[in-house]
Amino acid sequence: MRKLLIDDRIRGFAQQYASALQAEQPNVVSDLENLRDSVITFNAWADPTAPEKYINALIADYPAVLTLEPKDWNLNKYDDILKLEPDMLTRPVVYGYTKERKKGGKVVKASRPLSDTFYERIMFCLRYKDARKILGPIHQQMGLKACYYCNISPTDSSDDGEVFYEMDHLKAQSLYPCLGTCFYNLQPCDGACNKRKLNNPCDSQMYVNDENEERSPFHFEPQVVELGKTRGDYKCMQINFVDKQGVYSDACKQYDETFGIVSHYSAHKKDVEDVYVQNQRCGSVGMAEHYKKSIGYEPSRDEVFQFCLGFPYNEDLIHEAPLRKLKYDTVKQLEDSGALKV
């Protein structure tokens, strides 16, 4: 939900990832060369130059493509090659043979048909499974610990590379395996969001180059009513999902329909109410006044924000744990309305 502006810090993580993958898997190019020769030899193509040109283009781009930023993605050359053989990437291919054997007095090579499609075999040569294990701990270092799309589910990874979440290919691997292990094409997400995006495409790009691009195009506007005078006596009626103008726009609707945002967040009304309770505790008879009277210390605004949120009042930190976007937007709504107890 919160886009990341590519800066030197992020570029450093991208380079860390690329260096580790190349060190662990140094044979990517030779594997691609073998795949190229194999699929040309053992498969019938309307235009045999198509798979050759596609793999050669990928070899020419590797390993620079591992850290290639979105502004530099040149996908037209791959699209042009696919015009020669439109279904090339999704075709099942025979990409090797087991051994030579005699048949009818002749020596023949026994082909080994496999279930892999061409793009799946490309992903294997790029060593995506290894890339995922390397990138998981790096995402943790970056503070990417919640699904980018919904900010509800955790995206955890252990130090030894065990990854407990999925990585969405912004540009689908079945369409652009050339970006299959590109750092900026792999976005942390949970399985449900990944599956929903597969069926309802949404081109929401986490990494951006343009510093003027809106980094948080959507936000939450909880509707809360006070039922009585007692502390924390609040009821969250609904959680609206709107754009910067406070409108459920076509863009909001598309995002909502793809990831089920409104329906999913309806189960988290208590998290909004908890923020209101914390805000009430900061009031004139609450935490701030207590500290002021007892020890002569008046909490700062930042301390009040952190007390209400459980984390610093900084939207850039919403990726560090689930539900931070909702909590941040709730406190901002309180602040903007003048209801924040400071």
Side-chain angles (χ1 to χ4, degrees), residues 258-314:
T258 296
F259 300 111
I261 298 298
V262 172
S263 178
H264 206 166
Y265 271 86
S266 66
H268 294 280
K269 295 175 183 177
K270 187 178 183 300
D271 293 283
V272 172
E273 295 165 8
D274 287 345
V275 171
Y276 270 72
V277 169
Q278 292 296 80
N279 180 52
Q280 183 66 30
R281 289 173 177 167
C282 290
S284 59
V285 294
M287 180 198 75
E289 189 66 18
H290 171 74
Y291 277 116
K292 186 175 181 180
K293 288 183 177 180
S294 61
I295 59 176
Y297 177 76
E298 188 169 359
S300 66
R301 285 177 60 85
D302 286 344
E303 288 172 316
V304 172
F305 284 131
Q306 182 144 351
F307 179 76
C308 291
L309 286 168
F311 61 93
Y313 188 52
N314 184 344

Side-chain angles (χ1 to χ4, degrees), residues 64-340:
V65 71
L66 294 175
T67 57
L68 197 65
E69 297 178 17
K71 65 181 178 60
D72 298 319
W73 290 352
N74 177 16
L75 301 178
N76 290 334
K77 63 180 178 181
Y78 291 98
D79 291 336
D80 289 342
I81 295 171
L82 286 177
K83 293 176 183 177
L84 304 174
E85 195 82 42
D87 67 340
M88 176 174 67
L89 292 176
T90 55
R91 278 183 55 181
V93 294
V94 176
Y95 59 83
Y97 57 88
T98 53
K99 61 181 179 180
E100 293 183 350
R101 63 185 178 87
K102 288 186 178 181
K103 183 178 181 181
K106 296 181 180 179
V107 175
V108 297
K109 294 177 179 179
S111 298
R112 179 162 62 105
L114 298 171
S115 61
D116 286 6
T117 59
F118 190 27
Y119 86 83
E120 287 173 329
R121 200 59 194 169
I122 291 174
M123 294 295 292
F124 175 83
C125 292
L126 292 174
R127 297 298 189 267
Y128 171 61
K129 289 184 178 180
D130 298 284
R132 192 170 177 275
K133 290 181 180 179
I134 290 170
L135 188 53
I138 292 176
H139 278 164
Q140 301 300 293
Q141 295 175 44
M142 296 173 68
L144 302 179
K145 300 181 182 182
C147 174
Y148 163 67
Y149 294 113
C150 69
N151 197 241
I152 291 178
S153 301
T155 51
D156 298 326
S157 178
S158 63
D159 292 338
D160 59 3
E162 187 74 17
V163 180
F164 303 100
Y165 62 96
E166 297 186 12
M167 294 184 191
D168 172 57
H169 287 79
L170 174 65
K171 298 297 184 182
Q173 54 184 298
S174 60
L175 299 175
Y176 296 104
C178 50
L179 294 174
T181 52
C182 175
F183 175 88
Y184 297 104
N185 194 42
L186 298 172
Q187 305 188 152
C189 71
D190 65 74
C193 285
N194 203 11
K195 184 177 180 180
R196 292 179 70 100
K197 181 174 178 286
L198 180 66
N199 298 322
N200 303 279
C202 179
D203 194 22
S204 182
Q205 187 167 309
M206 183 172 72
Y207 297 105
V208 296
N209 288 105
D210 185 0
E211 62 182 11
N212 295 317
E213 181 169 345
E214 177 56 61
R215 294 172 62 191
S216 290
F218 312 120
H219 69 279
F220 295 106
E221 286 185 349
Q223 301 300 307
V224 181
V225 295
E226 186 175 353
L227 301 178
K229 298 293 186 180
T230 58
R231 184 178 66 185
D233 197 2
Y234 300 102
K235 178 70 173 178
C236 181
M237 306 302 292
Q238 62 185 30
I239 300 173
N240 295 330
F241 183 63
V242 296
D243 64 13
K244 282 297 183 181
Q245 286 69 47
V247 176
Y248 186 65
S249 62
D250 289 342
C252 289
K253 182 178 179 181
Q254 183 202 41
Y255 199 93
D256 179 21
E257 290 179 347
T258 296
F259 300 111
I261 298 298
V262 172
S263 178
H264 206 166
Y265 271 86
S266 66
H268 294 280
K269 295 175 183 177
K270 187 178 183 300
D271 293 283
V272 172
E273 295 165 8
D274 287 345
V275 171
Y276 270 72
V277 169
Q278 292 296 80
N279 180 52
Q280 183 66 30
R281 289 173 177 167
C282 290
S284 59
V285 294
M287 180 198 75
E289 189 66 18
H290 171 74
Y291 277 116
K292 186 175 181 180
K293 288 183 177 180
S294 61
I295 59 176
Y297 177 76
E298 188 169 359
S300 66
R301 285 177 60 85
D302 286 344
E303 288 172 316
V304 172
F305 284 131
Q306 182 144 351
F307 179 76
C308 291
L309 286 168
F311 61 93
Y313 188 52
N314 184 344
E315 194 174 11
D316 286 336
L317 304 180
I318 68 165
H319 296 288
E320 291 187 352
L323 293 174
R324 283 195 172 184
K325 174 64 172 170
L326 176 63
K327 295 176 182 178
Y328 174 88
D329 287 347
T330 300
V331 166
K332 189 172 191 310
Q333 187 182 46
L334 284 167
E335 181 189 27
D336 292 344
S337 67
L340 193 69

